[in-house]
Amino acid sequence: MNFNIDTLIKMGKAHSLHCEDDYIVVENDNFLVAAVFDGCSSGVDSHYASTKHKYLMKEVAENFNWLWDYKKKHTIKDNVFYFVFSVYNELKGEKYEVNKEMLSTIVLLFINKHTNEYGIVFCGDGCCSINGENISVHDEHGNAVWYLSTVTDKQFEEYFENYCHYYEGVIDNNMEIAISSDGIESFMTKYGSYNKEYPQDIFFNTKNSLPEKYHNWKLERLYNVLTKGKLPNMENDEGLSNIDDLTIIKVKIDKDKTDEVAWFCKKEWTPFK
């Protein structure tokens, strides 16, 4: 599989000192992991919390191959469960005050490169898009977020099964998957244009929402022209601005190209005579 990965991270108007979001992308021969983190503003040093989650996840990703036992035939959900549980175990080793520090949400995309399966899990709120289907998980379960750092050992399985929104599937040709923090919601609800889902569609499903000239634009460039009101369908808007921090990771999977290259490399070559 060939992965084309684009990222965007922006501080929102409400956060004048620090961006409380962070993100990570790790890829090896077995899997690809991409995640976005959103620190809770009411927590202590929320920008540090999201970044700490990132570095703990980086350590897990770099050492996760020891769990890669094909004889056990783990499902993609098993992969995601054990990966999040490994991050949770790393968190437990940190010294912090539960419910006051290390409060950060996680939206995780895990791709098994051997089976072409993907799993997406929300540890808290956020958004994602799977092949053009936009999904928003926003302040679920009584307008509260259950942060990974506040879970106990006895609660973890219940937490994962009942409180974490989970999606999975098999990668199709030319598939696109995007994950983001819930900052995209502030475009849609606080500073939304007359078409309130327009910003989400631009970032997640650019080709379906904009003329062809924009299709290969990076997220950063799309963000700049969006906030200046210089995109189609914004004739009545001077530009949009997000209150909350905004982080997006967009992954385009081009299986056709990868398969073609693999076929070419394996094909026997006979020199011209």
Side-chain angles (χ1 to χ4, degrees):
M1 285 179 288
N2 180 57
F3 298 101
N4 182 9
I5 302 172
D6 191 11
T7 61
L8 172 72
I9 184 167
K10 288 288 183 179
M11 184 168 68
K13 278 187 172 182
H15 302 146
S16 58
L17 295 178
H18 300 284
C19 178
E20 297 177 0
D21 283 7
D22 214 326
Y23 72 92
I24 186 174
V25 178
V26 176
E27 181 180 2
N28 60 31
D29 292 338
N30 290 326
F31 57 84
L32 181 144
V33 167
V36 297
F37 312 91
D38 183 2
C40 173
S41 298
S42 62
V44 177
D45 292 334
S46 54
H47 62 288
Y48 172 78
S50 61
T51 300
K52 187 63 179 179
H53 278 64
K54 175 183 77 172
Y55 283 112
L56 293 177
M57 185 173 288
K58 183 174 183 291
E59 292 179 13
V60 169
E62 291 174 347
N63 295 285
F64 195 66
N65 284 326
W66 69 271
L67 266 177
W68 209 260
D69 185 355
Y70 297 106
K71 294 180 181 179
K72 292 182 180 179
K73 295 183 179 179
H74 290 153
T75 66
I76 186 65
K77 190 171 184 179
D78 290 334
N79 293 151
V80 175
F81 177 90
Y82 288 125
F83 194 89
V84 175
F85 184 69
S86 298
V87 175
Y88 167 73
N89 276 330
E90 292 293 326
L91 270 172
K92 288 196 305 182
E94 300 293 316
K95 293 183 178 179
Y96 57 90
E97 190 172 352
V98 175
N99 293 319
K100 290 188 177 181
E101 302 174 289
M102 299 297 285
L103 304 181
S104 177
T105 64
I106 303 172
V107 183
L108 169 72
L109 165 65
F110 188 101
I111 296 176
N112 184 328
K113 296 171 71 172
H114 296 277
T115 64
N116 292 348
E117 296 172 292
Y118 70 87
I120 299 174
V121 65
F122 290 79
C123 300
D125 52 17
C127 301
C128 74
S129 180
I130 304 171
N131 247 11
E133 180 185 358
N134 296 344
I135 299 167
S136 178
V137 176
H138 194 54
D139 290 341
E140 293 289 328
H141 301 291
N143 198 36
V145 173
W146 192 352
Y147 298 98
L148 185 65
S149 59
T150 65
V151 179
T152 66
D153 285 331
K154 293 181 180 180
Q155 294 172 323
F156 185 84
E157 189 168 348
E158 177 195 0
Y159 169 75
F160 187 89
E161 290 293 335
N162 298 325
Y163 286 85
C164 295
H165 290 252
Y166 176 77
Y167 304 87
E168 67 177 37
V170 178
I171 292 172
D172 297 324
N173 289 344
N174 304 314
M175 188 173 188
E176 289 188 351
I177 300 176
I179 58 174
S180 80
S181 62
D182 69 338
I184 193 69
E185 296 282 350
S186 68
F187 281 115
M188 298 167 62
T189 57
K190 302 291 176 58
Y191 282 95
S193 66
Y194 59 91
N195 181 356
K196 74 171 189 174
E197 294 183 353
Y198 185 53
Q200 187 182 53
D201 288 333
I202 287 172
F203 290 127
F204 290 166
N205 310 304
T206 310
K207 290 185 177 181
N208 297 331
S209 306
L210 294 172
E212 187 175 356
K213 65 175 274 189
Y214 301 98
H215 290 183
N216 293 320
W217 282 22
K218 294 291 187 181
L219 293 172
E220 179 79 23
R221 192 175 181 192
L222 287 173
Y223 179 89
N224 289 336
V225 295
L226 173 72
T227 55
K228 293 176 182 177
K230 295 183 177 180
L231 285 177
N233 297 331
M234 294 189 67
E235 294 85 355
N236 299 329
D237 293 302
E238 297 179 355
L240 306 179
S241 52
N242 58 310
I243 296 178
D244 199 2
D245 301 327
L246 172 66
T247 304
I248 300 173
I249 301 175
K250 192 172 185 178
V251 180
K252 179 180 178 182
I253 303 102
D254 191 348
K255 284 182 63 182
D256 286 340
K257 182 177 179 181
T258 306
D259 293 343
E260 180 181 337
V261 172
W263 172 85
F264 179 80
C265 293
K266 293 178 181 178
K267 184 180 179 182
E268 293 184 5
W269 178 67
T270 303
F272 293 107
K273 294 183 180 179

